[in-house]
């Protein structure tokens, strides 16, 4: 069996013909297997969805309980048979509930990683390398310039800034699923015990993480009703970065603008976005993690998708590993 007979890129997403299902389809399909809850991978309107319990929960919170015709939980490490194709979900280390999906049929094994990272993250299970014939890797940060520093180092910069500027609010832009909870948890692990204020758009997912046993400490709504501006002096406030451009942000005293993203490695990008305190914290693999993972899977063929495919394809070829860009469309990760 050739790899493309098992999984093949189609306009709707990666399609498995023998199993008759899609992985992370971008349009409604009868049967979808979903790697994680970010909106570019997990969409509503499918006939049936197979995903981890946490991903199903997250989809329910974001889209409402009727987000699919029917749902089925995939237990990590347990193999299911779908029309003769063996399907197993393994942790991806990206956000809570995130999984790689391994499909195997007639001796051919392909692992679709979705999005993944190798840096430790206390808010989700660590990535598990899977031996496979073909490894499908993301390439969000697939250039040698992207090397993420230790996250504790970035968080220390934020805490230090609150000590240096105790009269100013620190507005930290972070994606609502994954990044926000990771930043909060990193603050707690660094010993930061003060209340952390969150934008309303993050409340439901933060509560969900807490209900799953991820301790985020004292979280409070970032509203000034009944209080004064000075209540936020020296405080850390998390919100979607889009909120920081509008009226919502004007309630805070002399705010320092911060943003937690792998893109903050690029100074120009931080500057253009008016970010004074860039934090290089990413839920995706950096260049070194991508290379390390490709080698670890032992795959003889690499398919590269969402991001900067060319450099990674070239690197694989130089190592004697065959590689190609998948050119799947519709993936612009909301959680970089
Ligand atoms: Zn993602």
């Amino acid at each position: 069996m050739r790899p493309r007979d098992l999984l093949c890129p189609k306009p709707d997403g990666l399609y498995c013909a023998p199993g008759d299902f899609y992985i992370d389809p971008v349009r409604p399909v009868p049967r979808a297997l979903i790697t994680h809850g970010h909106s570019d991978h997990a969409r509503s309107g499918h006939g049936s969805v197979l995903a981890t319990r946490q991903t199903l929960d997250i989809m329910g919170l974001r889209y409402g309980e009727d987000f699919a015709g029917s749902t089925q939980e995939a237990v990590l490490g347990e193999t299911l048979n779908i029309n003769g194709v063996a399907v197993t979900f393994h942790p991806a280390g990206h956000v809570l509930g995130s999984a790689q999906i391994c499909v195997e049929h007639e001796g051919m094994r392909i692992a679709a990683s979705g999005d993944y990272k190798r840096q430790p993250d206390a808010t989700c299970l660590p990535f598990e390398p899977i031996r496979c014939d073909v490894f499908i890797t993301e390439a969000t940060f697939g250039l040698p310039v992207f090397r993420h520093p230790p996250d504790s180092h970035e968080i220390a910069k934020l805490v230090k800034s609150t000590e240096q500027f105790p009269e100013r609010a620190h507005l930290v832009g972070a994606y609502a699923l994954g990044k926000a909870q990771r930043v909060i948890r990193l603050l707690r692990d660094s010993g930061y015990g003060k209340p952390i204020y969150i934008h309303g758009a993050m409340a439901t997912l933060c509560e969900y993480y807490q209900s799953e046993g991820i301790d985020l400490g004292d979280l409070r709504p970032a509203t000034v009703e009944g209080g004064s501006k000075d209540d936020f002096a020296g405080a850390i406030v998390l919100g979607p970065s889009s909120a920081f451009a509008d009226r919502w942000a004007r309630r805070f005293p002399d705010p320092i603008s911060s943003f937690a993203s792998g893109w903050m490695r690029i100074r120009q990008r931080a500057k253009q976005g008016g970010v004074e305190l860039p934090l290089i914290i990413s839920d995706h693999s950096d260049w070194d993690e991508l290379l390390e993972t490709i080698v670890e899977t032992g795959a003889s063929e690499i398919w590269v998708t969402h991001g900067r495919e060319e450099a990674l394809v070239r690197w694989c070829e130089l190592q004697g590993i065959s590689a190609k860009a998948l050119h799947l469309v519709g993936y612009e990760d909301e959680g970089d």
Side-chain angles (χ1 to χ4, degrees), residues 35-41 94-95 98 114-116 138 140 177 283-284 306 332-336:
T35 58
H36 67 286
H38 279 144
S39 55
D40 52 338
H41 292 260
H94 178 55
V95 297
S98 66
D115 293 331
Y116 68 98
E138 59 139 318
T140 306
L177 170 58
D283 284 330
H284 294 271
H306 18 292
E332 253 124 63
D333 205 80
E334 62 151 339
D336 47 33

PDB file of all heavy atoms in Angstrom, residues 35-41 94-95 98 114-116 138 140 177 283-284 306 332-336, ligand 1:
ATOM      1  N   THR A  35      -7.934  16.461  15.984  1.00  0.00           N
ATOM      2  CA  THR A  35      -6.736  16.394  16.826  1.00  0.00           C
ATOM      3  C   THR A  35      -6.832  17.257  18.073  1.00  0.00           C
ATOM      4  O   THR A  35      -6.355  16.864  19.134  1.00  0.00           O
ATOM      5  CB  THR A  35      -5.474  16.824  16.037  1.00  0.00           C
ATOM      6  OG1 THR A  35      -5.659  18.167  15.541  1.00  0.00           O
ATOM      7  CG2 THR A  35      -5.191  15.874  14.880  1.00  0.00           C
ATOM      8  N   HIS A  36      -7.426  18.472  17.931  1.00  0.00           N
ATOM      9  CA  HIS A  36      -7.500  19.353  19.108  1.00  0.00           C
ATOM     10  C   HIS A  36      -8.502  20.479  18.866  1.00  0.00           C
ATOM     11  O   HIS A  36      -8.985  20.656  17.745  1.00  0.00           O
ATOM     12  CB  HIS A  36      -6.118  19.904  19.461  1.00  0.00           C
ATOM     13  CG  HIS A  36      -5.527  20.844  18.455  1.00  0.00           C
ATOM     14  ND1 HIS A  36      -5.018  20.435  17.242  1.00  0.00           N
ATOM     15  CD2 HIS A  36      -5.372  22.191  18.474  1.00  0.00           C
ATOM     16  CE1 HIS A  36      -4.566  21.482  16.580  1.00  0.00           C
ATOM     17  NE2 HIS A  36      -4.773  22.575  17.294  1.00  0.00           N
ATOM     18  N   GLY A  37      -8.773  21.239  19.925  1.00  0.00           N
ATOM     19  CA  GLY A  37      -9.906  22.164  19.916  1.00  0.00           C
ATOM     20  C   GLY A  37      -9.711  23.513  19.263  1.00  0.00           C
ATOM     21  O   GLY A  37     -10.655  24.299  19.218  1.00  0.00           O
ATOM     22  N   HIS A  38      -8.515  23.848  18.740  1.00  0.00           N
ATOM     23  CA  HIS A  38      -8.364  25.148  18.071  1.00  0.00           C
ATOM     24  C   HIS A  38      -9.294  25.219  16.865  1.00  0.00           C
ATOM     25  O   HIS A  38      -9.481  24.223  16.157  1.00  0.00           O
ATOM     26  CB  HIS A  38      -6.899  25.371  17.646  1.00  0.00           C
ATOM     27  CG  HIS A  38      -6.031  25.843  18.777  1.00  0.00           C
ATOM     28  ND1 HIS A  38      -4.727  25.464  18.919  1.00  0.00           N
ATOM     29  CD2 HIS A  38      -6.307  26.669  19.821  1.00  0.00           C
ATOM     30  CE1 HIS A  38      -4.227  26.050  20.011  1.00  0.00           C
ATOM     31  NE2 HIS A  38      -5.163  26.776  20.577  1.00  0.00           N
ATOM     32  N   SER A  39      -9.809  26.429  16.619  1.00  0.00           N
ATOM     33  CA  SER A  39     -10.929  26.537  15.680  1.00  0.00           C
ATOM     34  C   SER A  39     -10.573  26.192  14.242  1.00  0.00           C
ATOM     35  O   SER A  39     -11.451  25.874  13.447  1.00  0.00           O
ATOM     36  CB  SER A  39     -11.526  27.940  15.756  1.00  0.00           C
ATOM     37  OG  SER A  39     -10.514  28.894  15.528  1.00  0.00           O
ATOM     38  N   ASP A  40      -9.288  26.248  13.871  1.00  0.00           N
ATOM     39  CA  ASP A  40      -8.943  25.887  12.493  1.00  0.00           C
ATOM     40  C   ASP A  40      -8.891  24.372  12.305  1.00  0.00           C
ATOM     41  O   ASP A  40      -8.908  23.881  11.176  1.00  0.00           O
ATOM     42  CB  ASP A  40      -7.614  26.538  12.058  1.00  0.00           C
ATOM     43  CG  ASP A  40      -6.479  26.291  13.023  1.00  0.00           C
ATOM     44  OD1 ASP A  40      -6.757  26.000  14.208  1.00  0.00           O
ATOM     45  OD2 ASP A  40      -5.315  26.375  12.609  1.00  0.00           O
ATOM     46  N   HIS A  41      -8.824  23.620  13.382  1.00  0.00           N
ATOM     47  CA  HIS A  41      -8.796  22.154  13.305  1.00  0.00           C
ATOM     48  C   HIS A  41     -10.153  21.548  13.679  1.00  0.00           C
ATOM     49  O   HIS A  41     -10.549  20.527  13.132  1.00  0.00           O
ATOM     50  CB  HIS A  41      -7.716  21.605  14.243  1.00  0.00           C
ATOM     51  CG  HIS A  41      -6.332  21.939  13.799  1.00  0.00           C
ATOM     52  ND1 HIS A  41      -5.518  21.052  13.138  1.00  0.00           N
ATOM     53  CD2 HIS A  41      -5.625  23.095  13.888  1.00  0.00           C
ATOM     54  CE1 HIS A  41      -4.363  21.641  12.844  1.00  0.00           C
ATOM     55  NE2 HIS A  41      -4.399  22.878  13.293  1.00  0.00           N
ATOM     56  N   HIS A  94       0.238  19.917  22.845  1.00  0.00           N
ATOM     57  CA  HIS A  94      -0.059  21.238  22.257  1.00  0.00           C
ATOM     58  C   HIS A  94      -0.976  22.065  23.174  1.00  0.00           C
ATOM     59  O   HIS A  94      -0.590  23.144  23.627  1.00  0.00           O
ATOM     60  CB  HIS A  94      -0.669  21.007  20.882  1.00  0.00           C
ATOM     61  CG  HIS A  94      -1.087  22.224  20.135  1.00  0.00           C
ATOM     62  ND1 HIS A  94      -0.235  23.274  19.865  1.00  0.00           N
ATOM     63  CD2 HIS A  94      -2.294  22.564  19.581  1.00  0.00           C
ATOM     64  CE1 HIS A  94      -0.903  24.206  19.177  1.00  0.00           C
ATOM     65  NE2 HIS A  94      -2.145  23.797  19.008  1.00  0.00           N
ATOM     66  N   VAL A  95      -2.184  21.556  23.435  1.00  0.00           N
ATOM     67  CA  VAL A  95      -3.115  22.168  24.394  1.00  0.00           C
ATOM     68  C   VAL A  95      -3.848  21.015  25.086  1.00  0.00           C
ATOM     69  O   VAL A  95      -3.711  19.858  24.679  1.00  0.00           O
ATOM     70  CB  VAL A  95      -4.157  23.102  23.705  1.00  0.00           C
ATOM     71  CG1 VAL A  95      -3.462  24.286  23.036  1.00  0.00           C
ATOM     72  CG2 VAL A  95      -5.019  22.342  22.691  1.00  0.00           C
ATOM     73  N   SER A  98      -5.142  17.690  23.340  1.00  0.00           N
ATOM     74  CA  SER A  98      -4.600  17.565  21.983  1.00  0.00           C
ATOM     75  C   SER A  98      -3.989  16.189  21.754  1.00  0.00           C
ATOM     76  O   SER A  98      -3.391  15.607  22.646  1.00  0.00           O
ATOM     77  CB  SER A  98      -3.562  18.660  21.703  1.00  0.00           C
ATOM     78  OG  SER A  98      -2.426  18.494  22.513  1.00  0.00           O
ATOM     79  N   GLY A 114      -1.170  16.815  13.909  1.00  0.00           N
ATOM     80  CA  GLY A 114      -1.938  18.027  14.212  1.00  0.00           C
ATOM     81  C   GLY A 114      -0.955  19.148  14.515  1.00  0.00           C
ATOM     82  O   GLY A 114      -0.065  19.416  13.732  1.00  0.00           O
ATOM     83  N   ASP A 115      -1.101  19.798  15.654  1.00  0.00           N
ATOM     84  CA  ASP A 115      -0.090  20.749  16.130  1.00  0.00           C
ATOM     85  C   ASP A 115       0.572  20.113  17.341  1.00  0.00           C
ATOM     86  O   ASP A 115      -0.079  19.401  18.097  1.00  0.00           O
ATOM     87  CB  ASP A 115      -0.756  22.062  16.557  1.00  0.00           C
ATOM     88  CG  ASP A 115      -1.366  22.813  15.383  1.00  0.00           C
ATOM     89  OD1 ASP A 115      -0.855  22.661  14.256  1.00  0.00           O
ATOM     90  OD2 ASP A 115      -2.343  23.546  15.605  1.00  0.00           O
ATOM     91  N   TYR A 116       1.853  20.376  17.536  1.00  0.00           N
ATOM     92  CA  TYR A 116       2.535  19.762  18.683  1.00  0.00           C
ATOM     93  C   TYR A 116       3.725  20.591  19.132  1.00  0.00           C
ATOM     94  O   TYR A 116       4.240  21.423  18.388  1.00  0.00           O
ATOM     95  CB  TYR A 116       2.981  18.334  18.355  1.00  0.00           C
ATOM     96  CG  TYR A 116       4.092  18.222  17.329  1.00  0.00           C
ATOM     97  CD1 TYR A 116       5.425  18.047  17.725  1.00  0.00           C
ATOM     98  CD2 TYR A 116       3.818  18.284  15.971  1.00  0.00           C
ATOM     99  CE1 TYR A 116       6.443  17.937  16.785  1.00  0.00           C
ATOM    100  CE2 TYR A 116       4.827  18.170  15.023  1.00  0.00           C
ATOM    101  CZ  TYR A 116       6.136  17.996  15.437  1.00  0.00           C
ATOM    102  OH  TYR A 116       7.136  17.893  14.500  1.00  0.00           O
ATOM    103  N   GLU A 138       3.520  19.571  11.420  1.00  0.00           N
ATOM    104  CA  GLU A 138       3.223  20.973  11.198  1.00  0.00           C
ATOM    105  C   GLU A 138       4.543  21.724  10.998  1.00  0.00           C
ATOM    106  O   GLU A 138       5.618  21.171  11.260  1.00  0.00           O
ATOM    107  CB  GLU A 138       2.480  21.550  12.408  1.00  0.00           C
ATOM    108  CG  GLU A 138       3.285  21.433  13.699  1.00  0.00           C
ATOM    109  CD  GLU A 138       3.184  22.667  14.578  1.00  0.00           C
ATOM    110  OE1 GLU A 138       3.232  23.781  14.023  1.00  0.00           O
ATOM    111  OE2 GLU A 138       3.069  22.509  15.790  1.00  0.00           O
ATOM    112  N   THR A 140       4.602  25.477  11.599  1.00  0.00           N
ATOM    113  CA  THR A 140       4.284  26.872  11.935  1.00  0.00           C
ATOM    114  C   THR A 140       5.569  27.686  12.117  1.00  0.00           C
ATOM    115  O   THR A 140       5.682  28.809  11.620  1.00  0.00           O
ATOM    116  CB  THR A 140       3.436  26.931  13.224  1.00  0.00           C
ATOM    117  OG1 THR A 140       2.293  26.099  13.052  1.00  0.00           O
ATOM    118  CG2 THR A 140       2.982  28.354  13.528  1.00  0.00           C
ATOM    119  N   LEU A 177      -7.582  29.505  24.167  1.00  0.00           N
ATOM    120  CA  LEU A 177      -7.461  28.066  24.417  1.00  0.00           C
ATOM    121  C   LEU A 177      -5.981  27.677  24.439  1.00  0.00           C
ATOM    122  O   LEU A 177      -5.307  27.707  23.404  1.00  0.00           O
ATOM    123  CB  LEU A 177      -8.197  27.248  23.337  1.00  0.00           C
ATOM    124  CG  LEU A 177      -7.939  25.733  23.354  1.00  0.00           C
ATOM    125  CD1 LEU A 177      -8.312  25.097  24.683  1.00  0.00           C
ATOM    126  CD2 LEU A 177      -8.686  25.045  22.214  1.00  0.00           C
ATOM    127  N   ASP A 283       3.014  27.372  21.647  1.00  0.00           N
ATOM    128  CA  ASP A 283       2.482  26.022  21.791  1.00  0.00           C
ATOM    129  C   ASP A 283       2.821  25.144  20.582  1.00  0.00           C
ATOM    130  O   ASP A 283       2.260  24.061  20.415  1.00  0.00           O
ATOM    131  CB  ASP A 283       0.964  26.070  22.026  1.00  0.00           C
ATOM    132  CG  ASP A 283       0.656  26.491  23.460  1.00  0.00           C
ATOM    133  OD1 ASP A 283       1.477  26.199  24.353  1.00  0.00           O
ATOM    134  OD2 ASP A 283      -0.389  27.124  23.692  1.00  0.00           O
ATOM    135  N   HIS A 284       3.714  25.650  19.746  1.00  0.00           N
ATOM    136  CA  HIS A 284       4.193  24.873  18.596  1.00  0.00           C
ATOM    137  C   HIS A 284       5.674  24.558  18.770  1.00  0.00           C
ATOM    138  O   HIS A 284       6.395  25.264  19.477  1.00  0.00           O
ATOM    139  CB  HIS A 284       4.030  25.673  17.300  1.00  0.00           C
ATOM    140  CG  HIS A 284       2.603  25.921  16.941  1.00  0.00           C
ATOM    141  ND1 HIS A 284       1.862  25.060  16.182  1.00  0.00           N
ATOM    142  CD2 HIS A 284       1.775  26.932  17.254  1.00  0.00           C
ATOM    143  CE1 HIS A 284       0.638  25.537  16.039  1.00  0.00           C
ATOM    144  NE2 HIS A 284       0.559  26.669  16.680  1.00  0.00           N
ATOM    145  N   HIS A 306       0.812  23.104   7.318  1.00  0.00           N
ATOM    146  CA  HIS A 306       0.584  24.422   7.907  1.00  0.00           C
ATOM    147  C   HIS A 306       1.819  25.159   8.407  1.00  0.00           C
ATOM    148  O   HIS A 306       2.226  25.028   9.537  1.00  0.00           O
ATOM    149  CB  HIS A 306      -0.522  24.474   8.966  1.00  0.00           C
ATOM    150  CG  HIS A 306      -0.971  23.189   9.590  1.00  0.00           C
ATOM    151  ND1 HIS A 306      -1.642  22.221   8.914  1.00  0.00           N
ATOM    152  CD2 HIS A 306      -0.859  22.758  10.850  1.00  0.00           C
ATOM    153  CE1 HIS A 306      -1.927  21.251   9.733  1.00  0.00           C
ATOM    154  NE2 HIS A 306      -1.476  21.536  10.907  1.00  0.00           N
ATOM    155  N   GLU A 332      -4.892  28.262   9.917  1.00  0.00           N
ATOM    156  CA  GLU A 332      -4.123  29.390  10.399  1.00  0.00           C
ATOM    157  C   GLU A 332      -4.251  29.335  11.891  1.00  0.00           C
ATOM    158  O   GLU A 332      -5.249  29.753  12.450  1.00  0.00           O
ATOM    159  CB  GLU A 332      -4.684  30.706   9.874  1.00  0.00           C
ATOM    160  CG  GLU A 332      -3.800  31.313   8.803  1.00  0.00           C
ATOM    161  CD  GLU A 332      -4.550  31.560   7.525  1.00  0.00           C
ATOM    162  OE1 GLU A 332      -5.471  32.362   7.572  1.00  0.00           O
ATOM    163  OE2 GLU A 332      -4.216  30.928   6.510  1.00  0.00           O
ATOM    164  N   ASP A 333      -3.281  28.741  12.517  1.00  0.00           N
ATOM    165  CA  ASP A 333      -3.501  28.383  13.894  1.00  0.00           C
ATOM    166  C   ASP A 333      -3.847  29.577  14.760  1.00  0.00           C
ATOM    167  O   ASP A 333      -3.248  30.627  14.692  1.00  0.00           O
ATOM    168  CB  ASP A 333      -2.319  27.647  14.488  1.00  0.00           C
ATOM    169  CG  ASP A 333      -2.782  26.794  15.647  1.00  0.00           C
ATOM    170  OD1 ASP A 333      -3.305  25.711  15.366  1.00  0.00           O
ATOM    171  OD2 ASP A 333      -2.678  27.243  16.787  1.00  0.00           O
ATOM    172  N   GLU A 334      -4.853  29.367  15.601  1.00  0.00           N
ATOM    173  CA  GLU A 334      -5.258  30.425  16.524  1.00  0.00           C
ATOM    174  C   GLU A 334      -4.438  30.361  17.800  1.00  0.00           C
ATOM    175  O   GLU A 334      -4.605  31.188  18.669  1.00  0.00           O
ATOM    176  CB  GLU A 334      -6.742  30.291  16.849  1.00  0.00           C
ATOM    177  CG  GLU A 334      -7.080  28.987  17.546  1.00  0.00           C
ATOM    178  CD  GLU A 334      -8.290  29.093  18.467  1.00  0.00           C
ATOM    179  OE1 GLU A 334      -8.614  30.210  18.866  1.00  0.00           O
ATOM    180  OE2 GLU A 334      -8.874  28.057  18.766  1.00  0.00           O
ATOM    181  N   GLY A 335      -3.552  29.383  17.883  1.00  0.00           N
ATOM    182  CA  GLY A 335      -2.827  29.239  19.145  1.00  0.00           C
ATOM    183  C   GLY A 335      -1.323  29.203  18.986  1.00  0.00           C
ATOM    184  O   GLY A 335      -0.665  28.360  19.533  1.00  0.00           O
ATOM    185  N   ASP A 336      -0.753  30.179  18.262  1.00  0.00           N
ATOM    186  CA  ASP A 336       0.682  30.107  18.028  1.00  0.00           C
ATOM    187  C   ASP A 336       1.498  30.599  19.208  1.00  0.00           C
ATOM    188  O   ASP A 336       2.695  30.484  19.213  1.00  0.00           O
ATOM    189  CB  ASP A 336       1.070  30.910  16.765  1.00  0.00           C
ATOM    190  CG  ASP A 336       0.441  32.264  16.739  1.00  0.00           C
ATOM    191  OD1 ASP A 336       0.250  32.858  17.811  1.00  0.00           O
ATOM    192  OD2 ASP A 336       0.111  32.735  15.626  1.00  0.00           O
TER     193      ASP A 336
HETATM  194 ZN1  LIG B   1      -3.505  24.405  17.448  1.00  0.00          ZN
END
